[in-house]
Amino acid sequence: MRKISLLLLLLCVCAFSHCGYRKPLPVSPSGGTDRSGRESGDASRLDVSLEKMINRYRELKGLPPVPHSAALRRVAEAHARDLADRHPENGCGGNLHSWSSRGNWKGGCYDPGDSRTWPVMWLKPREIAGDGNYGYEIVCKGAPTPALALDCWRASRLHHNVIVNRGMWTQAWSGMGAAMYGGYAIAWFER
């Protein structure tokens, strides 16, 4: 248990800073169309590219691709918007797995060393998208492109382990969804 707590603590934050970031067109999580005219739920090209890039990287490592999960992409979109627009990490010691209370989910601070807070992350697929599986997230702050997000995660042993099923993440993933918004890149995985 202590080993898992320590690994989760180290998995918390991957900060990566880049200049010249431009926000992708927004996707409205509440339905209808947004300012760009896209239907809500339509993935941006960056979201799709990020998932494809993660799977190409996995294939280079001899691993099968992780199937796309529309539910997990909805969770990733919601969290990217929450982080970019509300910055819940500011009141939570900088932890990027924290959520504000201003959405259709339970907000709170995530602390990998405190098992009472783990549902703040793990239950988001159920709360947001009706997906009954636990979800596990990797976040990179400040990556304006899928390639830079992947570089950020590859530079973090713990994030990299999630992508390539190493360490405590050896069980194969059954789904993945990713989103990029407001300087945040997020990928969610489930077993």
Side-chain angles (χ1 to χ4, degrees):
M1 184 67 152
R2 182 168 167 81
K3 183 177 180 182
I4 290 173
S5 295
L6 290 174
L7 286 173
L8 290 172
L9 176 62
L10 294 173
L11 182 63
C12 289
V13 177
C14 179
F16 203 75
S17 180
H18 292 280
C19 298
Y21 174 76
R22 294 187 323 180
K23 284 186 180 180
L25 295 173
V27 176
S28 169
S30 60
T33 58
D34 60 26
R35 316 191 278 258
S36 70
R38 287 188 309 182
E39 289 296 318
S40 64
D42 285 353
S44 76
R45 288 187 316 235
L46 290 175
D47 301 344
V48 173
S49 294
L50 182 55
E51 286 180 20
K52 286 181 178 179
M53 192 165 287
I54 289 169
N55 274 329
R56 277 195 301 269
Y57 181 71
R58 286 177 54 82
E59 289 175 16
L60 289 172
K61 296 291 187 182
L63 297 166
V66 180
H68 166 70
S69 166
L72 290 178
R73 181 170 294 150
R74 283 194 302 277
V75 177
E77 289 170 347
H79 200 203
R81 284 183 158 281
D82 191 46
L83 287 167
D85 296 343
R86 298 180 189 99
H87 299 285
E89 74 276 18
N90 290 345
C92 297
N95 192 297
L96 295 174
H97 300 297
S98 301
W99 290 71
S100 78
S101 296
R102 297 187 308 203
N104 61 340
W105 55 74
K106 181 181 176 197
C109 295
Y110 178 84
D111 177 355
D114 182 352
S115 62
R116 294 171 300 170
T117 70
W118 296 349
V120 169
M121 179 200 315
W122 295 357
L123 296 181
K124 287 303 174 276
R126 183 176 304 152
E127 293 173 8
I128 294 171
D131 185 324
N133 295 316
Y134 283 157
Y136 307 94
E137 165 187 63
I138 56 176
V139 180
C140 183
K141 181 179 179 181
T145 67
L148 290 172
L150 184 60
D151 286 345
C152 172
W153 294 325
R154 286 176 55 203
S156 164
R157 183 180 54 83
L158 294 172
H159 289 89
H160 185 255
N161 285 350
V162 172
I163 293 171
V164 298
N165 298 107
R166 286 192 190 145
M168 65 184 283
W169 309 104
T170 56
Q171 187 177 356
W173 299 119
S174 63
M176 171 182 59
M180 297 187 73
Y181 179 80
Y184 294 87
I186 299 175
W188 279 81
F189 298 85
E190 68 183 3
R191 295 180 172 151

